[in-house]
Amino acid sequence: MELQELFTYLETPKNIVLITHVRPDGDAVGSSLALQHYLSGFGHTVQSIVPDDIPSFLQWMPGAASLYNHQRNPKTCFAVLTKADCIFFLDFNALKRVEAIATDIAKLRNKTVTVMIDHHREPDFFTDYMLWDAEASSTAELIYRFIHLHGHPEKMTLEAAQCIYTGMVTDTGVFQYSNTTPAVHTIAADLMSRGVDAESIHNAVYNQFGENRLRFVGYLLSEKMVVLAEQRAAYMSISIQEAERFSLSTGDKEGIVNLPLSMKEVDIAVLFTEDKDRIKISFRSKSHVNVEGLARNFFKGGGHINAAGGSTRQNLADTIAYFEKVLPEYLTSIT
């Protein structure tokens, strides 16, 4: 359905709920909070739900304290959902990406208007309305576009602009990834003209880690990094015991997967992280190398050409062994 129909629906105050994917990152949190600030300005009651904890380096964001955490307060979150007239799904394109919340949504029996705003490839078409563009740098960029399509950019508050900027910065690697288009810089310039302080946001996001995290990074690079020269790939792994040893908090692992890409002979970087019931896998790559296919075809995941994620239910050693087996096969198939 056309977005104009949605905009007409939103002309009268509604109870709106915004939901992000599990393990919400800067783009997910930034998109949700930006849209919360914007829609609240039209008299809507807007509440945001995250499936689990947000990283510590995002807790400064305007409105972060108002986020409902489903993992910590599932009953409260379900009560919020039951009152929703409209639900926005932000920065994901399949209900499996919200895990336990999907069960709550199924109980609503299609009593709500649903909207998806996302930029990941191959979406499931599960909502009434959709603003989707796989070429967009981030969902935050699409929130900016949504505001302009709605026709009220003057209603974008400084708080909303800060959240959009944060989402774009984190999903473009501070404007260094291939998804950094001319439009991204134009939007960033507009946000800065509205009062966004780029330096303070960069410091809040990237310069707030503890000593333990820096020592952990040194340990990973010196003791855990494996380079597969023939495949121009490198990987690292983090066990539960190692995470405990270095007292890692939510967010301390953010960005670590990218570090091997600083080597000129490496085009693919992978991070395996042991969790209680699965192994989480992050994939990153340079330029033309498509890791989204690797994640989708072998690890039940997906994402973008240069940044993707997946998981397995195998143990850490078996997961790594499987990766080393399928990587040459996959690279051969795409060349």
Side-chain angles (χ1 to χ4, degrees):
M1 299 182 189
E2 294 294 329
L3 280 179
Q4 188 54 53
E5 184 177 309
L6 173 64
F7 296 149
T8 300
Y9 171 78
L10 293 175
E11 286 178 358
T12 56
K14 300 291 190 300
N15 286 320
I16 299 174
V17 176
L18 314 177
I19 300 175
T20 74
H21 57 71
V22 293
R23 295 175 291 281
D25 54 12
D27 190 24
V29 177
S31 298
S32 183
L33 292 176
L35 192 57
Q36 178 175 314
H37 288 299
Y38 176 71
L39 291 176
S40 295
F42 292 88
H44 301 296
T45 299
V46 188
Q47 297 166 297
S48 297
I49 295 176
V50 289
D52 42 27
D53 292 338
I54 70 170
S56 57
F57 61 82
L58 297 177
Q59 292 173 3
W60 64 270
M61 296 180 69
S66 70
L67 295 170
Y68 287 91
N69 186 317
H70 185 271
Q71 186 180 66
R72 295 178 182 273
N73 301 291
K75 292 182 179 178
T76 301
C77 289
F78 182 67
V80 168
L81 282 169
T82 59
K83 298 176 182 178
D85 300 310
C86 180
I87 300 175
F88 281 78
F89 302 100
L90 303 174
D91 201 35
F92 66 96
N93 60 20
L95 279 176
K96 65 182 180 181
R97 293 287 284 124
V98 293
E99 296 184 354
I101 297 178
T103 302
D104 289 349
I105 293 169
K107 295 175 183 177
L108 302 179
R109 298 181 180 177
N110 301 318
K111 292 180 180 180
T112 60
V113 172
T114 55
V115 187
M116 181 183 79
I117 302 180
D118 182 60
H119 69 130
H120 294 88
R121 292 156 61 90
E122 299 188 26
D124 289 350
F125 298 95
F126 65 98
T127 58
D128 300 312
Y129 302 95
M130 182 170 67
L131 177 55
W132 172 77
D133 183 358
E135 300 302 315
S137 68
S138 54
T139 298
E141 177 183 339
L142 294 177
I143 296 298
Y144 180 91
R145 191 184 305 177
F146 178 91
I147 290 171
H148 282 73
L149 289 171
H150 190 212
H152 296 284
E154 77 283 355
K155 299 280 279 186
M156 186 193 306
T157 62
L158 175 58
E159 291 79 10
Q162 290 170 327
C163 293
I164 291 172
Y165 188 88
T166 302
M168 290 174 54
V169 162
T170 53
D171 249 31
T172 61
V174 197
F175 309 120
Q176 66 175 311
Y177 299 156
S178 61
N179 60 353
T180 306
T181 63
V184 168
H185 287 297
T186 299
I187 294 170
D190 179 50
L191 297 173
M192 292 176 69
S193 73
R194 295 171 182 269
V196 168
D197 185 332
E199 182 181 9
S200 67
I201 288 179
H202 187 278
N203 284 333
V205 173
Y206 294 105
N207 298 331
Q208 299 299 318
F209 295 111
E211 177 186 346
N212 65 312
R213 197 259 190 182
L214 195 59
R215 293 191 180 280
F216 174 66
V217 169
Y219 164 75
L220 274 186
L221 293 176
S222 64
E223 304 294 329
K224 301 298 297 289
M225 185 173 68
V226 177
V227 177
L228 304 175
E230 190 172 344
Q231 285 77 45
R232 296 184 60 83
Y235 69 81
M236 298 177 288
S237 63
I238 306 171
S239 69
I240 292 176
Q241 291 77 15
E242 287 167 331
E244 292 174 347
R245 171 186 166 189
F246 285 92
S247 303
L248 300 182
S249 62
T250 302
D252 278 341
K253 303 164 195 171
E254 190 76 19
I256 288 175
V257 63
N258 296 298
L259 295 176
L261 293 179
S262 64
M263 293 185 287
K264 63 181 179 180
E265 64 270 24
V266 170
D267 292 330
I268 298 173
V270 184
L271 180 67
F272 301 92
T273 304
E274 185 180 33
D275 205 353
K276 290 179 293 186
D277 60 346
R278 74 190 71 186
I279 305 300
K280 302 171 186 174
I281 314 169
S282 297
F283 302 90
R284 298 292 185 272
S285 68
K286 294 175 184 171
S287 61
H288 64 284
V289 181
N290 182 356
V291 290
E292 193 273 342
L294 181 63
R296 183 177 298 278
N297 295 335
F298 299 99
F299 298 98
K300 300 179 181 178
H304 309 286
I305 290 176
N306 298 121
S311 64
T312 73
R313 297 287 180 176
Q314 297 176 299
N315 62 40
L316 187 56
D318 289 344
T319 298
I320 292 173
Y322 178 65
F323 165 75
E324 289 191 351
K325 176 184 177 221
V326 302
L327 179 61
E329 300 172 9
Y330 174 71
L331 292 176
T332 300
S333 72
I334 63 174
T335 55

